[in-house]
Amino acid sequence: MKKLAFAFALILASFALVACGSDDETTTGGGGETTSEESGAQAGGGNGAEGGSAGSAAVVDFEADPDGALAYTTDSATAEAGKVTVNFTNPQPLSHDVAVEDASGKTIGKTEVIGEGSDSTVVNLKPADYTFYCSVPGHREAGMEGTLTVE
Ligand SMILES: [Cu+2]
């Protein structure tokens, strides 16, 4: 209960931060959230020709702070260039996602916004520095971001 109250306070705080923004994201926390069935997020890799590297599937795992803070458990990660599976686990009742942004500020992929669950997405990465962050309003500003280095 304490935890929930804390999370709720955080939600209020984040809305306060973006008070002038639109309110088209107010559906979170309604309780009726159903994580739409896992529609094969693993984007079946039929053609292994692309990306070539000896079958080493590139995967990066992210997790939101189990203690309920607006943070991931890490602020840096590395991945191999090519098709990278981004796994996200969120133990919090507060909804989060993981989005990946390139150096020009363009979001190139993101997971579903989820609470108490997990989701994954596949992004195509080149050797460069990317930023991963939570796209829920206010969360990135509060600290839910980090650097994804691709080699
Ligand atoms: Cu978040």
Side-chain angles (χ1 to χ4, degrees), residues 95-96 134 136 139 144:
S95 294
H96 300 294
C134 177
V136 176
H139 291 196
M144 293 196 80

Side-chain angles (χ1 to χ4, degrees), residues 4-95:
L4 269 181
F6 181 55
F8 189 60
L10 285 175
I11 292 172
L12 288 180
S14 55
F15 275 118
L17 282 174
V18 292
C20 55
S22 64
D23 56 352
D24 54 359
E25 303 230 4
T26 50
T27 52
T28 32
E33 277 178 62
T34 48
T35 30
S36 54
E37 96 250 38
E38 322 259 293
S39 51
Q42 301 289 40
N47 52 347
E50 227 177 318
S53 58
S56 57
V59 175
V60 276
D61 295 305
F62 296 103
E63 184 182 6
D65 181 24
D67 294 326
L70 287 179
Y72 299 108
T73 54
T74 181
D75 61 4
S76 67
T78 56
E80 291 173 33
K83 283 190 176 166
V84 175
T85 300
V86 175
N87 291 325
F88 175 50
T89 302
N90 182 10
Q92 302 182 16
L94 185 62
S95 294

